[in-house]
Each structure stands twice: as C-alpha cells, then as structure tokens.
C-alpha cells in the first residue's frame, strides 16, 4: 500500500474554474494546445469525447466512490463486458440496426468501468513516488493492447 489516503471532494465552483481556465488557455494562449478545439468542432469527435467522459465519470462515481470497493464491481463489469463481446460476436448481416447499436454498450460500459477502477487500484498499491512510473507503464500496456487489437483485426479482415 502507498500509505496515502485520497479523499475526493466534489466542489463544482472549483471544478468549473479549472475547466474554464483550461478552455481559455487552450483556446487563446497555447500555440500547440493539448486539446485543439477545432477537433471538437466536428460532430463525431465531440460526441465520442462526451460519451467517453460521461461513462467514465458515471461508472467510477456511482459505485467506487460510494463503496470504496474494487473487486466485486470489477468482476461484475468483466462479466458485463464478456456478455457484450458475445453479443457483438453474434452480430451478422441480418442483425437488426438496433441490435448493432445496442450490443456495443455492455462491452463499453464494462471496459470503461474496469479501466478506471484498475487505475485507482494500481495507484493505491505503489509508493507515492512510483505513481508517475506505473501510470506510464499502465498506459503503455493499454495502448499496446489497443494497437495490437486493431492491427490483428485489420490483418484478419484484409
């Protein structure tokens, strides 16, 4: 254990101030913004980001922040993800449009939940001085897994 206890206090004015400051700096000050707003001006990137942050906040906030538990919710999220994968694997050309849209939600919900809780569990399990290093390692492995998944799918389908 890291020996640190993190307490999250939801303070809308402070959060709003930091969001406003971020938007101002990104839009008006930064020559090379981290988040170029021209990207978010397009419909698809905007809604993908909106859904992603919404799912992450809801998944994390509802269960983990209230209970402080990681294991059981992660197991449930894993089962939900697995069910989503099974649903997606059973899609075919004759599947309904609604099924094609709705079958991705269980997998997305489960994976988003697990990504957030495992990240918090990882940070809590190492000394404070190692948090930057394990964060980098975590994102390295996540990104490598995503790239491998996309590349192998492309290789199979081409």
């Amino acid at each position: 254990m890291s020996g640190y206890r993190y307490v999250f206090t939801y303070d809308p004015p402070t959060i709003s101030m930091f969001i406003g400051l971020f938007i101002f700096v990104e839009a008006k000050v930064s020559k090379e913004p981290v988040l170029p707003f021209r990207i978010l001006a397009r419909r698809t990137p905007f809604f993908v980001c909106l859904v992603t942050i919404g799912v992450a906040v809801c998944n994390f906030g509802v269960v983990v922040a209230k209970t402080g538990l990681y294991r059981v919710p992660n197991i449930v999220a894993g089962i939900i993800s697995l069910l989503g994968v099974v649903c997606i694997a059973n899609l075919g050309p004759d599947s309904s449009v609604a099924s094609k849209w709705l079958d991705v939600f269980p997998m997305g919900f489960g994976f988003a939940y697990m990504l957030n809780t495992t990240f918090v569990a990882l940070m809590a399990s190492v000394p404070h001085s190692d948090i930057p290093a394990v964060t980098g390692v975590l994102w390295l492995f996540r990104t490598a897994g995503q790239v491998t998944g996309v590349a192998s799918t492309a290789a199979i389908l081409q």
Side-chain angles (χ1 to χ4, degrees), residues 66-148:
K66 296 219 183 259
T67 65
L69 301 175
Y70 298 108
R71 186 167 186 234
V72 173
N74 269 325
I75 292 170
V76 171
I79 292 168
I80 291 170
S81 295
L82 181 61
L83 292 173
V85 170
V86 170
C87 289
I88 291 170
N90 288 317
L91 287 175
D94 57 336
S95 297
S96 70
V97 173
S99 180
K100 290 176 184 176
W101 278 96
L102 296 175
D103 286 354
V104 299
F105 282 102
M107 185 178 71
F109 174 85
F111 285 151
Y113 191 93
M114 288 189 306
L115 291 176
N116 288 308
T117 55
T118 55
F119 179 59
V120 172
L122 177 66
M123 288 192 309
S125 70
V126 299
H128 189 263
S129 60
D130 288 339
I131 288 176
V134 297
T135 301
V137 169
L138 175 70
W139 284 104
L140 170 68
F141 280 93
R142 284 184 183 172
T143 305
Q146 292 169 345
V147 169
T148 303

Side-chain angles (χ1 to χ4, degrees), residues 35-43 45-47 49:
L35 177 65
F37 289 112
R38 63 180 158 64
I39 292 172
L40 292 180
R42 299 181 64 180
R43 183 179 63 182
F46 174 77
F47 281 106
C49 291

